[in-house]
Every structure is written in C-alpha cells, then in structure tokens.
Amino acid sequence: QLALVICILGFFFAGGKAAKGVLRTRWEREAGLALAQQVQEHSTGEKYAPSGLLMKYDALYRQNQDLAGWLSIPGTATDCPVMNTPDDPEKYLRMAFDGSYAISGSLFIGEGCTPDGSNVILFGHNMKNGTMLGTLPQYAREDYAKEHPVFHLDTLTQEREYQVIAAFFCTAGEKFPYGYTDLTQPEVFEEFLDQAEKRALWSMPRRPQPGTRLATLSTCSYQGEEGRFVVIGAEAG
C-alpha cells in the first residue's frame, strides 16, 4: 500500500511539473510576442532614432545593451531579439531579454562572431511551440525551404534580408560550420560553401560570390547525441 501511495504522489508530482513547464513556456511566448509588438509599433514613421539606431530597436536597446539585432522568419513564430555578449557568449542560453530565467532562453551570437561579421553564427533553442528556432528543422524539406526562402537578420542600424541557400544536420563543435567565423578570405569563403553543398539536404538555389555576408542559424536536431540542425543564408542584394 505504501508503494501505491508513493506511485500516486509521484504521478501528481510529475504532472505538476509538466503543467508548470507548459505555463512557463506559454508565459515566455507571450513575453516574446510583447517584444515583437513593441518593435512593430515603432516600425512606421521615422526610420532612425536620434541615437543613429533603427527606431524600432532604439527603445529596446535602452532597456538592454546586450541587444545586437533581430531575427524574423516570415510565416513562422520566429520573431525575436538577438543578443550578443562576447565575454560570455552563452549568457542567454537560459535567459530572457529582461534578464529573467527562461526555458526557451534567447537567440544569441556565437563565440568569435559579430553582428557585422562575414558569417554571423546564431544559436537558439528548438522549442516545440515553434518559438526561437523551433521551426528551423523543417528546412530539411526542400518544399518548405521554397515556401520560406528568406529570413531577416537585422543589426541595430541596418535591415538585412538573407536568402536560404543550404540546410543540413551536423553535431555540436564540428569545424564546419562552427569553425568558420571569418569568411573574408575568398578561399575560406569558397571552402565553406563547398562544405555546405556537400552536406546540404537539397540543391543550393544559388552560390553567392565571395564577399557576400552569410548567416548561419543553428539549433538542436535530436538526431543523435549533440545533434544540430543548421540553415545558412546569404545576404540578398
């Protein structure tokens, strides 16, 4: 009988933890939507604030100077701030924009990269509700990639659009793509693209020229231990 009581208590405890987790992720999503709404409200009128920043990000930057830009993938729930803390790159792994603990964390720029770099490597959690980079693994399907061909990765001063050119699975810490933080040398740029074409799950729609700014989005893939899913975009223009 004691064992039965323990099992029942364990069941309710586990159920309570699950419910708490659902409520937390729902709250985090609502907080993210509020940030996106704030950006949207400042997207009309004057483009630049007196500070020189894009008006839509100026107020948020004054709230948190770790803000480095904004990522949005049209047609998905990804519409959120990008953080950059060079001295502690993973600071926002489990931290919300306001500094509070968050299961979903925040999107952040990887070690050795800068918002204006030749290859901006960006990390985010693969959330089941589609927030952060939760829909990124769907780019494994070529039809999905064709339906969602671009993403926007703005800095605080420039709006930037990227065309999706490759998607593939890898593992955390691999030299490709994570070791390619500087693509300013043409031969390194070409080497990076050669690797992307070899790994890609579908044909690259276009091969960008050296000097084109790239963005590499990375999230967990659950395809194995330390599995990752990556999408590469080339700046349009």
Side-chain angles (χ1 to χ4, degrees):
Q1 233 176 2
L2 178 60
L4 177 60
V5 171
I6 292 173
C7 287
I8 292 172
L9 289 175
F11 173 79
F12 282 110
F13 177 74
K17 285 187 69 176
K20 186 177 180 180
V22 169
L23 288 174
R24 175 175 282 279
T25 53
R26 184 180 300 170
W27 179 86
E28 289 173 10
R29 180 170 187 170
E30 290 175 354
L33 289 172
L35 290 175
Q37 180 63 35
Q38 185 174 340
V39 168
Q40 186 62 35
E41 289 173 355
H42 291 86
S43 295
T44 58
E46 293 292 330
K47 186 172 183 177
Y48 288 96
S51 64
L53 304 185
L54 287 165
M55 183 67 77
K56 55 186 175 181
Y57 305 131
D58 184 67
L60 288 182
Y61 181 74
R62 283 187 273 114
Q63 294 174 39
N64 187 341
Q65 283 74 53
D66 289 339
L67 179 69
W70 195 274
L71 176 71
S72 61
I73 306 178
T76 76
T78 299
D79 190 20
C80 40
V82 173
M83 315 306 287
N84 186 36
T85 51
D87 294 333
D88 184 10
E90 296 188 1
K91 175 181 176 179
Y92 283 87
L93 184 67
R94 294 293 180 187
M95 184 182 290
F97 176 81
D98 65 0
S100 63
Y101 173 80
I103 293 173
S104 56
S106 300
L107 303 184
F108 60 91
I109 294 174
E111 184 177 3
C113 296
T114 66
D116 286 308
S118 53
N119 183 25
V120 185
I121 303 178
L122 192 69
F123 296 90
H125 290 297
N126 181 358
M127 301 301 295
K128 292 181 179 179
N129 62 6
T131 57
M132 299 302 152
L133 296 181
T135 60
L136 203 67
Q138 295 189 51
Y139 277 100
R141 301 183 356 245
E142 186 173 12
D143 60 333
Y144 183 88
K146 289 180 177 179
E147 292 167 2
H148 302 79
V150 301
F151 60 83
H152 301 274
L153 179 55
D154 296 345
T155 67
L156 296 177
T157 58
Q158 289 186 323
E159 295 175 329
R160 294 175 178 169
E161 181 177 277
Y162 292 78
Q163 180 185 3
V164 175
I165 60 169
F168 53 89
F169 293 98
C170 67
T171 56
E174 285 192 61
K175 180 180 178 181
F176 174 79
Y178 304 112
Y180 289 82
T181 58
D182 183 356
L183 302 180
T184 53
Q185 297 299 316
E187 61 272 19
V188 178
F189 184 92
E190 297 290 1
E191 181 181 303
F192 181 83
L193 288 185
D194 287 344
Q195 292 290 329
E197 285 191 308
K198 288 178 183 178
R199 293 283 192 96
L201 298 170
W202 32 262
S203 298
M204 188 176 289
R206 72 177 180 92
R207 187 178 173 103
Q209 297 298 309
T212 303
R213 183 180 286 108
L214 302 183
T216 300
L217 312 182
S218 175
T219 193
C220 294
S221 70
Y222 309 116
Q223 292 293 309
E225 188 175 356
E226 296 295 305
R228 298 291 184 268
F229 189 80
V230 171
V231 167
I232 296 174
E235 189 172 13

